[in-house]
Amino acid sequence: MSTPPSSVPSSVPSDPASSDPRAFDPRPATPAVAAPGARRAPGRNGRLTGVQLLVSVILFLVVETLISVIAVVWTVVTSGAVPDPSSGFGVADFDPTGFLVAAVIGAVLAIAGHILVVGPIGARPGQAVGGRGKLAELAAGLGIGSLLIALSTGIIALLGGYRVTGLDPNPQLLAPLAIGIFAAFVEEVFFRGALLRLIDGWLGSWAALALTSVLFGLVHITNDDAGLWGAIAIIIEAGVLLGGAYLLTRRLWLAIGIHLAWNTVQSGIFSFAVSGTGEQHGILQAQLSGPDWLSGGAMGVEGSVVTVIVGLAAGIVMVVLAHRRGNLLPRDRRADRSLTGADGTVPNA
């Protein structure tokens, strides 16, 4: 899941007022009776949610542009290749080292931007990224993402759509890692850390999951070899999976781990194109055969019906577990928020 640059822990997000990050309950408080001088507490996403969204959109566009600029400049300087004004550079044209450096810089800026949005702007320091258990969630995500791609590829191979022909003597591993880092951090921070989180407060978890899944798929439609089916496939297999991972933990790390492994393993090991962004040369040399609905064709393994089914099944599991933990919430209504006095204390009803 990537657009070209142009045991899971049972933790929930920490409340800034709580010393135990696992103690925060995002569900709305019992409605209280207004008292003179009382005011409603901020919602579960803090204050200025509209400003949070605006700043998140700007940061996403700036970071994506910066990654492209760094990758192109690095490629021009190191290779002397000048982009064709009519077609520009695609992911496959970037110098792998430059692309990796750009992706790491973009990842750092994306996380820093999210901390800015939820902290100084939203008054919810660390929301979706703070608290204990981050590394455990990230590791679990890496394992899940790797397993899902390996399982999908194995089933496709059993059905005759993928055949290993040998080991690549000169595998290109930096580009797959760069694609993974870029998508896992920059896309997850925006689509799950901003869009899903904020829409979840405005419309509720189910609407947020549906809307962000559709938006996430649609941004891939412009990839060279993706098209309409590629966008639909990503909506179903990845939008639900990654959105479910966020809702399950109410943090980004599980989704980041899944996305990072998903992209890196499919291209760096199995040599699939990632979301229709161009040919990759990973560890395994392989040959695709049969119809595109089976092998994925130029779209890559994400274009296979097999991967759609596997990803959707895993996503449903995530959503069911989130529901059982009480993490699928109704919209955050102002009337349901607790009341505080002008001095910040809770007034007597």
Side-chain angles (χ1 to χ4, degrees):
M1 298 154 280
S2 176
T3 54
S6 55
S7 144
V8 177
S10 58
S11 61
V12 292
S14 59
D15 182 275
S18 172
S19 60
D20 181 4
R22 298 174 183 270
F24 175 51
D25 185 350
R27 288 169 291 189
T30 302
V33 178
R39 58 186 178 184
R40 296 289 177 185
R44 59 177 175 262
N45 287 319
R47 64 187 184 187
L48 303 175
T49 53
V51 176
Q52 290 186 52
L53 177 60
L54 177 61
V55 173
S56 296
V57 171
I58 294 172
L59 286 171
F60 177 66
L61 296 176
V62 168
V63 170
E64 276 215 326
T65 302
L66 181 62
I67 291 173
S68 295
V69 170
I70 293 174
V72 169
V73 170
W74 188 296
T75 302
V76 171
V77 170
T78 57
S79 69
V82 179
D84 182 345
S86 64
S87 60
F89 269 21
V91 169
D93 300 312
F94 292 144
D95 174 83
T97 302
F99 188 20
L100 179 59
V101 170
V104 171
I105 292 173
V108 172
L109 292 177
I111 294 294
H114 176 80
I115 292 172
L116 168 69
V117 167
V118 299
I121 297 176
R124 285 284 186 270
Q127 186 180 28
V129 292
R132 295 190 300 268
K134 296 185 287 292
L135 291 180
E137 291 177 2
L138 181 63
L142 291 172
I144 292 169
S146 300
L147 177 62
L148 293 176
I149 288 297
L151 177 61
S152 299
T153 304
I155 295 174
I156 294 169
L158 288 174
L159 296 175
Y162 178 90
R163 182 171 65 90
V164 176
T165 59
L167 298 177
D168 194 314
N170 186 31
Q172 305 299 308
L173 302 180
L174 294 184
L177 182 58
I179 294 171
I181 291 173
F182 159 73
F185 285 89
V186 178
E187 291 182 357
E188 289 310 305
V189 164
F190 179 65
F191 283 97
R192 259 58 67 172
L195 291 185
L196 193 151
R197 177 179 62 86
L198 293 170
I199 297 173
D200 172 76
W202 293 333
L203 302 177
S205 298
W206 288 109
L209 180 61
L211 288 173
T212 54
S213 295
V214 171
L215 290 173
F216 185 60
L218 289 179
V219 298
H220 292 80
I221 201 169
T222 58
N223 290 4
D224 290 341
D225 297 310
L228 180 59
W229 165 245
I232 293 172
I234 289 177
I235 290 170
I236 298 171
E237 72 196 4
V240 176
L241 172 64
L242 296 170
Y246 173 82
L247 292 172
L248 175 59
T249 60
R250 289 276 164 178
R251 292 202 296 192
L252 286 170
W253 301 110
L254 180 62
I256 286 174
I258 292 172
H259 205 161
L260 175 56
W262 178 284
N263 279 9
T264 304
V265 169
Q266 66 175 288
S267 54
I269 294 179
F270 297 111
S271 301
F272 282 108
V274 180
S275 307
T277 56
E279 186 178 358
Q280 295 293 326
H281 300 280
I283 294 174
L284 299 177
Q285 291 180 330
Q287 179 179 341
L288 301 181
S289 58
D292 287 354
W293 66 260
L294 173 61
S295 69
M299 170 68 180
V301 69
E302 293 168 309
S304 170
V305 171
V306 172
T307 311
V308 171
I309 294 172
V310 170
L312 177 61
I316 290 173
V317 170
M318 296 280 184
V319 173
V320 169
L321 291 175
H323 175 68
R324 289 181 177 178
R325 291 183 180 180
N327 284 353
L328 300 185
L329 308 176
R331 67 186 182 93
D332 187 14
R333 297 191 307 167
R334 185 174 182 274
D336 292 333
R337 301 174 195 166
S338 59
L339 290 164
T340 59
D343 58 357
T345 61
V346 178
N348 294 325

